[in-house]
Amino acid sequence: MTGVTLDSAWAVPGFVPAGADGEGLTVGSQPITVEEPKALNRTKTLIRHDANGVITQVILEAARPMDEISKSFAEAGIDHILYDGPVDIKEAYVDLSTDPPEIRPKPEVVISGEIRPIKADGIDVLHLTVRPENFTVYVWFENRLVHQEDVTDGAIEFAIDQAGTFRVTIVAAQPYKVGAFEVIAR
């Protein structure tokens, strides 16, 4: 095993380790900088999307270069973009209002109001406001859908005469994430 000892020479600006002749070199008072070579094959992610910007497929690796696949997709009329970096299909969308289209994080559904346990008497009511105002609300009890309703004014009123834990899911139009909360009725 070969050991390497760093001595005080390494602390001198501009010190270059010993070359073929065994002598260490110092070049002026400035350190020598070496630029990294540019990547020859930068990996891109191919993102397929629909006409609304919903990501339908993410291709991370392929046998052919992504630029070739992109060209083939363009010739076939398949909506897609090339992107540098990873993309989470559930957390992102393609913003088609920009030129070129860009990957953006999906905005959160905002639920305002007090989410609290309620009495299972059909009278105690939760009053909540949701942004965006247009969405579909789904109510689940014991993993079964028990209610579904389209909402256009952003208001939810929740009352129930059945005791238990209810999962409420808010599904707004693209590009929003799905919002959800639980209501305990006693």
Side-chain angles (χ1 to χ4, degrees):
M1 180 169 156
T2 304
V4 176
T5 305
L6 300 178
D7 58 20
S8 61
W10 284 89
V12 177
F15 174 76
V16 178
D21 60 1
E23 294 284 310
L25 303 173
T26 303
V27 181
S29 62
Q30 297 298 318
I32 296 174
T33 57
V34 177
E35 290 188 28
E36 292 290 326
K38 292 185 179 179
L40 298 175
N41 185 12
R42 252 179 111 184
T43 304
K44 298 236 182 206
T45 304
L46 191 122
I47 312 293
R48 288 186 58 189
H49 60 85
D50 68 10
N52 295 319
V54 176
I55 297 173
T56 58
Q57 184 180 22
V58 176
I59 302 173
L60 301 172
E61 289 185 30
R64 294 177 18 208
M66 290 297 180
D67 291 334
E68 285 182 25
I69 296 171
S70 177
K71 184 178 177 186
S72 298
F73 278 17
E75 290 169 357
I78 298 171
D79 292 328
H80 72 284
I81 64 171
L82 285 175
Y83 183 72
D84 291 324
V87 174
D88 185 340
I89 205 166
K90 293 186 296 185
E91 300 291 324
Y93 74 103
V94 179
D95 184 352
L96 299 173
S97 68
T98 61
D99 188 25
E102 297 178 7
I103 300 293
R104 300 218 188 266
K106 287 184 176 182
E108 300 277 343
V109 167
V110 178
I111 303 167
S112 303
E114 182 183 8
I115 300 172
R116 59 176 173 75
I118 61 172
K119 294 178 187 171
D121 60 5
I123 298 169
D124 190 8
V125 180
L126 288 182
H127 297 278
L128 304 172
T129 304
V130 177
R131 295 286 177 256
E133 292 182 345
N134 296 315
F135 58 88
T136 302
V137 62
Y138 300 89
V139 180
W140 305 84
F141 180 66
E142 296 179 351
N143 294 323
R144 289 189 320 251
L145 180 64
V146 294
H147 183 74
Q148 174 182 336
E149 184 175 339
D150 292 328
V151 178
T152 59
D153 62 359
I156 294 178
E157 292 183 350
F158 188 92
I160 193 84
D161 59 4
Q162 169 71 42
T165 301
F166 296 84
R167 178 113 175 120
V168 180
T169 308
I170 309 294
V171 180
Q174 171 70 7
Y176 287 91
K177 290 182 183 180
V178 173
F181 61 92
E182 288 188 347
V183 177
I184 297 171
R186 298 180 184 149

